[in-house]
Amino acid sequence: MNPLRALLLILTVSILLTQYALALEIHHVEPPNWWVGMKQSRVQIMVHGNGIAHTEPNLQYPGVRLTSVEHSDNPNYVFLNLEIAATTKPGQVSIHFTQNKRIVKSMAYRLEARRPQSAQRKSFSAADAIYLITPDRFANGDASNDSIAGMPDKTDRSIPTARHGGDIQGMRQHLDYIRDLGFTMIWPTPLLENNQSAYSYHGYALTDYYKIDARFGSNQEFRHYVQEANARGLGVIHDVVLNHIGTGHWWMKDMPAKDWLNYPESRELTNNQHTTMQDIHVAPEERERFLKGWFVPSMPDLNQNNPQVARYLIQNSIWWIEYANLSGIREDTFSYADPQFLKQWCKALLDEYPHLNIVGEEMDDRPHMVAYWQKGARNRDGYDAGLPSVMDFPVVDAMPLVLTQKENYDSGFIKLYELLAADYLYADPMKLLVFPDNHDRPRIFAQLDEDINLLKTSLLFTATVRGIPQIYYGTEVLISSPKERNDGLLRADMPGGWDGDVTNAFTANKLSAAQSETQEFVRKLFNWRKTSGAIHNGKLLHYLPQDGRYVYFRYTAKETVMVILNKSDKTETLDLHRFKAMIKQTQSGRNIMSGDTVNLQAPLLLPARTSIAIEWKN
């Protein structure tokens, strides 16, 4: 090659490299930072940028080692595996991407210091009571974020399935209200970005795992919200979605790998048959369809069998706990995700945070189906998901009929008795999440034919039965809905959450007498619950229902609570001699709601359709 041609070739290569360096843009780095001192000392960073797989990454930082670089079939991604030594100091790691020994791009990656005792954080338990919020429907504290450029699903309160404008600022403004009602934990349905064309308000079609939806606020606002909640003695539970994303996720425009999703081409839907996970006779393809099928057409199913997907999801959950200082996790559609991945995910979170509670959703009304997923379950196949808590859908779904059907040998309270008698199926019944309704069920007030006495019975049961109680926002002011499930209507706007609302739950302005009565009932009940060791830690003993009454006891060595659920239409006396083994020689107790002294050595007068709880020291 003559010298002139050689010179031209060198110049050409130099120009091309310069152009590539200018063209190489990094679009996403996830997780966006990590922490020193984590048990999860190995972190995999997903870096997304045009042609970035053609570069060679390297870094130099004391205590940080780039152990390996992984690629997929998409040249726009690299996965950097970093190992962070226990002695590493917080700081900014410079990561360089080179070609032909020349740096074509650099990025700064921040290692943060952890909060003191972060790994030992407390979580939620049977000593807590959870207030569940659908943020879009709770309170609009910042009208300026109701409409965001580039986000097509606009705010319109006249449309039940549209966004209504509730946000983090609105939630922040009413933290005192929630605390004063007696709750100790707040569970907002997902706040992460759902940039879908429509029906995005619910939060379960994630389009960015590391970004709060701009219509709710920002990552920083969420972190400040948690700080303010904590300052009031309130913890915050993060709603996690591992099974699926939304079709608007940025991955859908440039998929990290061909196998990042299940059924990426055919987009087959799940058969929704939960039984396939335990059926010893099931055809393998039926189980596969349950696990890998898309939840709905707008929610692509993630392939957790891809190790990079699995690690991404595990790290994301840990990141939010650490970043926002969360008090627990609620995991959506738990049984739909790959079971071996779920086991891996639970273990990773509990290794990092030994006292963390995680509650998983298995939306099924059969106890054996729900119990299968709880940590410590004795399953025939030997499977143990490692999940501490599960949601008690069997009791939730039975209660409307239990309370509205006539008492008979096979209907009414006997059905509730039988469900509690099935608690032997659960590894730990005290870690069941029990609730009258939630964002996926018609409002309990509607299901009980808007009968306030029955609603109070439902609330009393929820507050005093074994497990962890959860109440859906607005139950205390009688928010209702159609009896058949209608998500847009049952997730109604909280009265007083919007400027111009005449009725205001937060200030009690213009509440009806029934609303005020119920709100005060909830306030008394759950503030009392904070004080009861028998409810927090006690055993449960129950008697067979008789004459429209179901009696159970919660007790420890020091105290006892007697609960009488009463559907009888007549004012009658209850002979307490039947319960002498529990009452013993105790002369009197205290009605937890009225404060009245109750004679426990004489028949008890029960007003019609009135349920009560009585406490005493042993």
Side-chain angles (χ1 to χ4, degrees):
M1 181 181 296
N2 64 50
L4 181 59
R5 292 187 65 184
L7 180 60
L8 287 171
L9 181 60
I10 291 170
L11 287 171
T12 301
V13 171
S14 178
I15 290 168
L16 289 174
L17 286 173
T18 301
Q19 289 176 338
Y20 179 76
L22 292 172
L24 178 58
E25 292 185 15
I26 294 176
H27 305 301
H28 301 92
V29 178
E30 295 180 342
N33 68 279
W34 205 247
W35 291 266
V36 297
M38 299 285 284
K39 182 158 185 150
Q40 186 91 1
S41 60
R42 296 180 178 180
V43 59
Q44 183 173 90
I45 306 172
M46 171 195 279
V47 185
H48 175 222
N50 296 336
I52 200 165
H54 301 308
T55 67
E56 183 178 342
N58 60 80
L59 62 85
Q60 285 188 338
Y61 188 89
V64 180
R65 188 164 63 96
L66 180 61
T67 58
S68 63
V69 178
E70 297 179 19
H71 298 90
S72 70
D73 48 44
N74 187 336
N76 295 333
Y77 290 84
V78 292
F79 299 84
L80 311 181
N81 294 319
L82 274 58
E83 186 166 354
I84 304 165
T87 56
T88 305
K89 303 296 183 185
Q92 194 161 280
V93 181
S94 294
I95 302 176
H96 305 297
F97 298 88
T98 65
Q99 267 195 341
N100 298 321
K101 299 182 180 180
R102 179 178 179 180
I103 296 174
V104 296
K105 196 71 178 178
S106 296
M107 72 177 202
Y109 195 78
R110 185 76 188 168
L111 295 178
E112 305 283 356
R114 300 184 78 181
R115 294 177 183 84
Q117 297 298 308
S118 176
Q120 302 302 318
R121 69 186 59 232
K122 294 181 180 179
S123 196
F124 62 96
S125 69
D128 290 292
I130 300 169
Y131 193 75
L132 168 60
I133 293 171
T134 299
D136 180 66
R137 306 301 171 88
F138 188 64
N140 188 351
D142 182 4
S144 70
N145 63 20
D146 288 357
S147 181
I148 301 290
M151 306 189 94
D153 192 11
K154 303 302 182 185
T155 298
D156 188 339
R157 289 183 71 193
S158 69
I159 301 174
T161 56
R163 301 189 79 95
H164 288 189
D167 50 33
I168 292 171
Q169 176 68 0
M171 292 163 56
R172 186 192 67 77
Q173 291 171 350
H174 302 298
L175 284 168
D176 290 342
Y177 172 80
I178 296 171
R179 177 200 60 196
D180 293 346
L181 281 176
F183 294 95
T184 58
M185 290 282 163
I186 303 172
W187 157 23
T189 54
L191 288 157
L192 298 186
E193 183 187 89
N194 274 231
N195 194 8
Q196 298 286 102
S197 60
Y199 196 55
S200 67
Y201 75 89
H202 53 73
Y204 291 99
L206 306 186
T207 58
D208 193 318
Y209 269 97
Y210 282 96
K211 186 178 180 183
I212 295 292
D213 195 295
R215 291 159 294 191
F216 291 140
S218 66
N219 287 17
Q220 292 77 14
E221 284 182 86
F222 178 54
R223 182 156 60 174
H224 292 155
Y225 170 74
V226 177
Q227 288 174 349
E228 292 196 35
N230 293 167
R232 291 165 169 81
L234 298 166
V236 177
I237 297 167
H238 184 47
D239 203 336
V240 169
V241 186
L242 301 173
N243 179 67
H244 53 265
I245 56 174
T247 48
H249 196 290
W250 62 265
W251 285 334
M252 301 299 287
K253 296 176 182 177
D254 192 19
M255 199 60 66
K258 290 179 182 177
D259 65 346
W260 203 256
L261 300 179
N262 292 313
Y263 300 145
E265 301 299 330
S266 65
R267 302 189 173 200
E268 292 182 52
L269 298 180
T270 179
N271 54 29
N272 281 309
Q273 292 302 313
H274 299 221
T275 51
T276 60
M277 295 308 300
Q278 300 176 43
D279 183 359
I280 62 173
H281 309 296
V282 68
E285 55 268 36
E286 300 289 8
R287 178 175 291 167
E288 180 177 294
R289 181 71 177 272
F290 171 68
L291 290 172
K292 295 185 177 181
W294 289 25
F295 195 64
V296 294
S298 62
M299 296 180 182
D301 198 76
L302 290 170
N303 176 21
Q304 298 98 9
N305 287 311
N306 178 320
Q308 292 163 346
V309 174
R311 196 160 181 185
Y312 180 97
L313 294 170
I314 289 168
Q315 290 180 168
N316 177 259
S317 297
I318 292 173
W319 189 90
W320 277 109
I321 295 168
E322 197 70 27
Y323 172 82
N325 200 29
L326 300 168
S327 295
I329 295 289
R330 182 265 185 182
E331 206 290 311
D332 180 66
T333 54
F334 190 83
S335 63
Y336 286 79
D338 179 79
Q340 294 308 313
F341 160 74
L342 291 171
K343 189 173 182 177
Q344 181 186 1
W345 177 79
C346 287
K347 183 179 186 303
L349 268 61
L350 294 173
D351 281 350
E352 195 68 60
Y353 307 101
H355 307 301
L356 187 75
N357 199 358
I358 309 167
V359 60
E361 178 196 44
E362 169 64 329
M363 198 186 295
D364 197 284
D365 63 4
R366 294 163 290 183
H368 70 274
M369 293 294 296
V370 177
Y372 177 84
W373 298 100
Q374 192 178 27
K375 181 179 181 180
R378 296 181 180 180
N379 294 321
R380 175 173 176 164
D381 60 3
Y383 177 75
D384 189 335
L387 176 70
S389 298
V390 287
M391 300 175 73
D392 195 356
F393 278 101
V395 165
V396 171
D397 289 345
M399 279 301 283
L401 287 178
V402 165
L403 293 176
T404 56
Q405 284 184 338
K406 289 184 177 181
E407 290 294 300
N408 209 329
Y409 75 96
D410 62 350
S411 64
F413 279 133
I414 190 62
K415 290 300 182 184
L416 181 57
Y417 177 95
E418 289 170 349
L419 283 170
L420 294 185
D423 274 0
Y424 69 90
L425 292 167
Y426 297 102
D428 189 350
M430 284 295 284
K431 287 187 175 178
L432 290 170
L433 189 72
V434 63
F435 46 104
D437 59 16
N438 69 0
H439 59 292
D440 288 325
R441 289 291 181 269
R443 289 280 183 165
I444 187 62
F445 191 45
Q447 295 185 76
L448 299 178
D449 302 317
E450 301 195 350
D451 185 312
I452 292 177
N453 286 326
L454 292 181
L455 176 63
K456 288 179 179 179
T457 293
S458 173
L459 291 167
L460 182 66
F461 170 78
T462 302
T464 57
V465 76
R466 83 293 184 258
I468 308 163
Q470 168 253 293
I471 301 297
Y472 197 27
Y473 78 96
T475 298
E476 71 276 13
V477 288
L478 305 180
I479 288 182
S480 195
S481 72
K483 278 192 174 183
E484 298 300 321
R485 179 174 170 178
N486 183 313
D487 289 351
L489 296 179
L490 72 90
R491 302 164 187 170
D493 293 347
M494 183 72 160
W498 280 255
D499 288 344
D501 286 0
V502 175
T503 303
N504 192 318
F506 306 116
T507 65
N509 185 56
K510 299 293 186 180
L511 292 182
S512 69
Q515 287 176 310
S516 295
E517 179 186 341
T518 308
Q519 190 181 58
E520 184 58 23
F521 181 87
V522 169
R523 184 177 290 112
K524 279 188 176 181
L525 177 61
F526 283 95
N527 275 293
W528 163 80
R529 193 184 187 280
K530 289 180 180 180
T531 69
S532 177
I535 299 299
H536 299 169
N537 307 302
K539 295 180 180 180
L540 185 150
L541 182 144
H542 61 166
Y543 286 77
L544 283 165
Q546 285 185 1
D547 303 321
R549 303 184 192 95
Y550 175 37
V551 177
Y552 58 87
F553 293 81
R554 300 293 311 282
Y555 64 101
T556 65
K558 294 182 178 180
E559 57 186 306
T560 298
V561 176
M562 178 184 188
V563 182
I564 305 164
L565 305 184
N566 175 31
K567 286 165 52 181
S568 175
D569 290 327
K570 300 176 182 178
T571 296
E572 295 175 329
T573 57
L574 177 67
D575 185 356
L576 298 184
H577 187 267
R578 182 185 179 205
F579 315 110
K580 191 168 182 59
M582 289 302 298
I583 296 174
K584 301 183 175 66
Q585 301 303 314
T586 305
Q587 295 298 306
S588 64
R590 188 185 77 92
N591 184 313
I592 68 163
M593 297 303 292
S594 69
D596 294 340
T597 298
V598 179
N599 185 349
L600 296 174
Q601 297 300 321
L604 177 64
L605 183 67
L606 281 180
R609 299 163 60 78
T610 299
S611 299
I612 65 171
I614 305 163
E615 66 176 352
W616 62 86
K617 300 294 182 182
N618 294 330

